Amino acid sequence: MLQRVFLFLLIFLIMPDLFLFFRFIIRITRKRWLRIAYWIPTFLLATGLLCLVGFANYGFIQQHSQAIGWFSIAFFLFTAPKLLLAICTLIGMPFHKWFRLPRTPFIGTGLTLATLSVFMILYGSFIGRTKFDVKEVTFSSGFLSESFNGYRIVQLSDIHIGSWQDNSAAIEKLVDLVNAQAPDLIVFTGDLVNHRAIELNGFQNILARLKAKDGVYSVLGNHDYGPYFRWRSKQDEINNLKELQRRQKQMGWKLLNNSHAILTHGTDSIALIGVENEGEPPFSQHGDLKKAIKGTEGLFQILLSHNPTHWRREVLPESNIDLMLAGHTHAMQLKIGEYSPSAYIYPEWGGMYMEKGRGLYVNIGIGYIGLPFRFGAWPEITVITLRR
């Protein structure tokens, strides 16, 4: 698998370089040292790829995931612009040959796209991933009790705290922004960690400062179970999950594992329901909606479920849930206007979706996996106001 990925990335790296070298570089300069200098980034990136594939074992990759993420950013920073320029130049060649159109517009377009890609990668890596976006959303339902009209819920999702090591200031900023919304309720819809509970070291006290009138509730996401980490034994994996649950309790978060809580204002109540991760294969399936929902019949129901595909697979056809809150998609950490490549994988990937008066809101998350990058899909703090 790694060998196939290596071969693809190597082609992705070298082919545009070869084309641009013979199309432009040898025509621009006759100086040997400049021609050699052109190939230095390619040589370094190819060496890095070779080291990762040939020498880095699974444990190394897990321990140095952040460094590998930044290497990936460097890789795309040098390869994406060259690829775009090469493609645009290639497209222009037949038009020039057959229709005598000038090459300049095609090359100019390639240079423009290349420049934009450099800006996007740099902005998304150094600014976008901490550009917290507070989104105001309203959900209206005739089934909502009058006492909860105007009720404010802050939803967070996919913090992936292991990706924030050495950047506690960003998480402090997140907490301050959330508390400034004066929420009645805070909910977290899974993926608190990348792999291990110890990732919370140094962050636990910060996240414990999240405050809402009716408390902080959470559910587990696929990463929280630690399935992508090579554990020494199954018992270590089980112990890690127990430790994560213990730490959430210490933070004052109330974890809903296929259970529910009844929230009461005056004489009116609503049900907050939470299921364990219920993902489409190959993601883990631990949810038990029937168990979680039992005893909430007749109440306005809000469901916390990490994976948005749960909505169509079970929630809509087999329950009367009024509003489901999910995360998981990250919008693939890239969104331009209303477009995100995650739309090719998830029918509901970000924002509010309605069907016959019932809603699903997909929060695109706070953290990141793999690439330390977010562009357009800024880290999201959602403020959902309930209305009658």
Side-chain angles (χ1 to χ4, degrees):
M1 174 63 179
L2 282 175
Q3 285 74 15
R4 289 197 295 270
V5 172
F6 169 73
L7 184 61
F8 171 78
L9 292 177
L10 198 61
I11 293 171
F12 182 70
L13 173 66
I14 293 176
M15 292 304 291
D17 262 332
L18 283 170
F19 173 78
L20 296 175
F21 181 79
F22 288 108
R23 182 68 183 82
F24 296 110
I25 302 301
I26 62 174
R27 300 182 183 186
I28 292 172
T29 180
R30 293 179 178 273
K31 294 180 180 179
R32 182 178 295 179
W33 70 270
L34 285 175
R35 293 182 178 184
I36 293 173
Y38 173 82
W39 287 101
I40 289 176
T42 304
F43 173 78
L44 293 175
L45 290 171
T47 302
L49 284 175
L50 182 62
C51 289
L52 282 176
V53 173
F55 303 107
N57 57 32
Y58 195 82
F60 177 90
I61 292 172
Q62 289 178 335
Q63 292 174 14
H64 299 88
S65 58
Q66 283 187 300
I68 293 170
W70 283 109
F71 172 80
S72 301
I73 290 294
F75 181 88
F76 288 111
L77 185 62
F78 280 94
T79 56
K82 293 177 181 178
L83 179 64
L84 290 168
L85 177 57
I87 290 173
C88 290
T89 305
L90 277 169
I91 291 173
M93 290 173 70
F95 284 93
H96 175 74
K97 181 178 180 180
W98 297 332
F99 304 106
R100 300 301 177 187
L101 293 178
R103 296 187 179 95
T104 306
F106 296 96
I107 296 173
T109 300
L111 288 170
T112 301
L113 292 175
T115 302
L116 287 174
S117 71
V118 169
F119 167 78
M120 182 184 297
I121 292 169
L122 291 176
Y123 190 92
S125 299
F126 293 98
I127 298 175
R129 63 193 178 94
T130 57
K131 188 180 178 181
F132 297 111
D133 182 20
V134 179
K135 290 186 178 179
E136 295 275 355
V137 178
T138 299
F139 179 76
S140 300
S141 173
F143 296 106
L144 185 69
S145 303
E146 182 61 41
S147 298
F148 285 88
N149 188 35
Y151 193 76
R152 288 168 62 82
I153 303 171
V154 168
Q155 181 194 4
L156 300 174
S157 195
D158 299 83
I159 290 178
H160 289 284
I161 202 68
S163 299
W164 295 96
Q165 300 303 311
D166 304 319
N167 195 3
S168 60
I171 301 303
E172 288 178 347
K173 179 183 177 182
L174 168 68
V175 170
D176 291 340
L177 278 170
V178 171
N179 289 340
Q181 308 310 312
D184 294 297
L185 176 70
I186 296 173
V187 297
F188 178 73
T189 46
D191 279 2
L192 179 57
V193 299
N194 289 342
H195 305 291
R196 298 182 292 173
I198 61 171
E199 294 169 19
L200 282 165
N201 291 349
F203 295 95
Q204 198 166 320
N205 291 337
I206 300 172
L207 292 171
R209 288 176 26 222
L210 286 168
K211 299 298 179 186
K213 296 173 185 176
D214 288 336
V216 182
Y217 289 83
S218 65
V219 292
L220 297 171
N222 53 297
H223 277 263
D224 294 322
Y225 296 89
Y228 314 114
F229 189 82
R230 183 167 291 180
W231 302 98
R232 290 180 299 177
S233 67
K234 185 64 178 179
Q235 189 58 49
D236 283 349
E237 185 176 351
I238 293 170
N239 290 342
N240 176 72
L241 180 58
K242 290 180 179 178
E243 175 67 7
L244 179 62
Q245 293 171 330
R246 185 184 68 82
R247 287 179 180 238
Q248 289 203 32
K249 186 176 181 179
Q250 286 180 335
M251 286 159 39
W253 294 19
K254 300 164 188 174
L255 189 59
L256 297 175
N257 278 343
N258 298 323
S259 60
H260 65 264
I262 304 298
L263 306 177
T264 301
H265 278 208
T267 58
D268 297 324
S269 298
I270 63 174
L272 182 66
I273 302 160
V275 294
E276 295 194 55
N277 190 66
E278 181 57 40
E280 81 286 8
F283 296 107
S284 55
Q285 295 179 309
H286 301 285
D288 189 338
L289 183 60
K290 291 181 181 179
K291 176 184 176 183
I293 213 169
K294 189 175 182 180
T296 67
E297 297 82 359
L299 297 176
F300 181 86
Q301 299 169 324
I302 300 173
L303 172 67
L304 310 182
S305 182
H306 179 66
N307 194 310
T309 64
H310 189 205
W311 194 50
R312 293 199 180 277
R313 284 187 290 108
E314 183 179 23
V315 175
L316 281 178
E318 299 181 25
S319 78
N320 294 312
I321 296 290
D322 298 283
L323 174 63
M324 173 175 152
L325 306 180
H328 184 61
T329 72
H330 296 210
M332 290 183 73
Q333 296 166 209
L334 176 63
K335 182 170 173 280
I336 300 174
E338 295 304 312
Y339 166 78
S340 168
S342 60
Y344 295 107
I345 301 174
Y346 296 99
E348 293 85 23
W349 56 267
M352 182 68 79
Y353 301 87
M354 298 293 298
E355 188 154 318
K356 297 180 180 179
R358 301 166 67 188
L360 164 69
Y361 190 86
V362 183
N363 178 295
I364 60 175
I366 291 293
Y368 50 90
I369 284 292
L371 293 177
F373 168 90
R374 274 184 178 262
F375 189 89
W378 315 124
E380 179 178 347
I381 300 166
T382 313
V383 183
I384 303 170
T385 302
L386 304 182
R387 294 290 184 191
R388 277 182 59 83

